[in-house]
Amino acid sequence: MKTTPRIHTQIKTEIRTGSILLAKPFWAEEAYKRSVILVISHSDEGSTGIILNKMSNLSVNDALPELDHHTPLYYGGPINKKTISYVHSNPNLPDAFYLGNDLFWGGNYDLLLELIAAGKFNPSDCRFCAGFVQWSPGELENEVNDDKWWVSELSRQELFLQAAEDLWGVKLVDDGHLYGLLNPYPDPSMN
């Protein structure tokens, strides 16, 4: 008897703080094409997230010269692009908001600077993002139901060890979505 191979896909539809959103292929808006968005808040009042895999044309040093850190500053989204936030894995940074999966958002910036200066915190263990994405109440759920996003999870290792430009494709393949194999190729909707 001949059997047809089955591809297992992980379907996670529950949106929560700490989830990631993986853009489904062929978005019209450039800002969201092949984007990976970390949900930093989700409630009945709306949702907020930051794009994790889109580099801006600035370095962290350009935006925060007191850090003297020359890694890329990421484009976190179109809302309030002058606001810099950061995702990290340091549970000892006061006022940091726990997102799950050993990831934290923000925290006491002055203490962050002190820890970096003392060599107790490596700024490479942070993803600095300018701006964010925001949804009104129910809007994100509607977008997920309209097949604009896949909902998934992201570990600390995946965020900090995976190259940002590969994150979308790798997460899709890991979750069983064949579209992730297209990551190295241009979006055909651009032609």
Side-chain angles (χ1 to χ4, degrees), residues 34-70:
R34 298 181 179 187
S35 64
V36 177
I37 299 178
L38 178 63
V39 178
I40 57 174
S41 71
H42 180 70
S43 70
D44 293 339
E45 298 174 11
S47 304
T48 303
I50 49 177
I51 301 172
L52 295 174
N53 64 326
K54 306 272 183 168
M55 284 188 243
S56 75
N57 58 357
L58 300 173
S59 74
V60 171
N61 188 70
D62 294 329
L64 304 168
E66 65 276 11
L67 276 178
D68 193 30
H69 186 59
H70 297 276

